[in-house]
Amino acid sequence: MADEAASGTPDALLAVRAGEGDEGAFEVLVRRHGPALLRLATHLLGDPADAEDAVQEAFVSAWRRLPEFRGDAAFASWMFRIVTNRCLNQLRSRHGAAPLDTVSERAAPEHLTSPARTVESTAAVRALHAALARLSPEQRACWVLREFHGLSYQDIAQAVGISQQAVRGRIFRARRYLTEAMEAWR
């Protein structure tokens, strides 16, 4: 099956094979989509360990539910929905906001930044994480799927299980809040 991954076997075919019990096909899907799903879960939950658990549980759930997968949506969209729902349920069950300050950010190469710029950037990232933590889990999910993962409104609607109009509203409110919260960093 590793050869098929390199040759670009479509997700839909891999999902059908996996639904028929082909573990190799499912393994290709996990390798292909796991990194993006882990980034999504980490952005939503803030804790890399919780994110790994959520993604692993989502893949276990997907494996069990693959025979039900009809291909109405792309496999990736279906997985985004499963991971998003797991993360939202976890966020709703938490008491208080998710500790988004634990999300690691890539640092700029040392030759491109000064110590003062590094301190300023770090403070801005912390301010953004704090502002994101104050969004509702639903707003945060829509905003993260749009801004970090570049999903369309339609794909976000499928992933979160709401209408496109509701997605637009949540993203609008999240952007408005984040713009106000980050005003000092402009």
Side-chain angles (χ1 to χ4, degrees):
M1 189 55 62
D3 295 333
E4 288 183 86
S7 69
T9 302
D11 286 353
L13 180 57
L14 291 170
V16 168
R17 289 180 181 170
E20 294 170 349
D22 184 342
E23 292 178 15
F26 190 68
E27 183 180 326
V28 171
L29 290 168
V30 169
R31 280 196 314 265
R32 188 177 287 174
H33 298 287
L37 295 169
L38 184 58
R39 282 190 304 274
L40 168 64
T42 302
H43 284 124
L44 291 175
L45 298 173
D47 180 9
D50 287 348
E52 286 181 25
D53 290 345
V55 171
Q56 184 175 18
E57 291 170 11
F59 275 122
V60 169
S61 175
W63 174 254
R64 290 182 184 138
R65 294 174 42 202
L66 263 171
E68 303 167 15
F69 179 69
R70 295 182 305 249
D72 297 337
F75 178 80
S77 297
W78 186 61
M79 286 304 304
F80 268 103
R81 181 174 188 158
I82 294 170
V83 170
T84 299
N85 285 337
R86 287 223 177 263
C87 292
L88 287 174
N89 288 339
Q90 191 169 343
L91 286 169
R92 287 181 192 120
S93 69
R94 287 184 181 172
H95 294 34
L100 289 176
D101 59 337
T102 61
V103 177
S104 63
E105 294 294 326
R106 292 182 189 166
E110 288 184 34
H111 67 280
L112 297 179
T113 186
S114 68
R117 180 70 182 133
T118 301
V119 169
E120 184 179 331
S121 295
T122 301
V125 168
R126 284 189 181 134
L128 176 60
H129 287 311
L132 283 171
R134 289 188 293 272
L135 292 174
S136 72
E138 293 80 10
Q139 286 177 340
R140 187 183 326 159
C142 291
W143 188 86
V144 164
L145 287 167
R146 180 70 176 170
E147 301 300 331
F148 288 162
H149 297 279
L151 268 62
S152 69
Y153 290 114
Q154 180 179 356
D155 289 341
I156 296 168
Q158 289 176 347
V160 181
I162 58 176
S163 71
Q164 285 186 44
Q165 184 175 353
V167 167
R168 290 180 193 280
R170 287 179 182 169
I171 291 173
F172 172 79
R173 287 187 298 279
R175 284 179 178 157
R176 185 177 60 199
Y177 174 77
L178 292 172
T179 299
E180 291 171 9
M182 298 303 292
E183 184 66 32
W185 295 99
R186 285 185 168 192

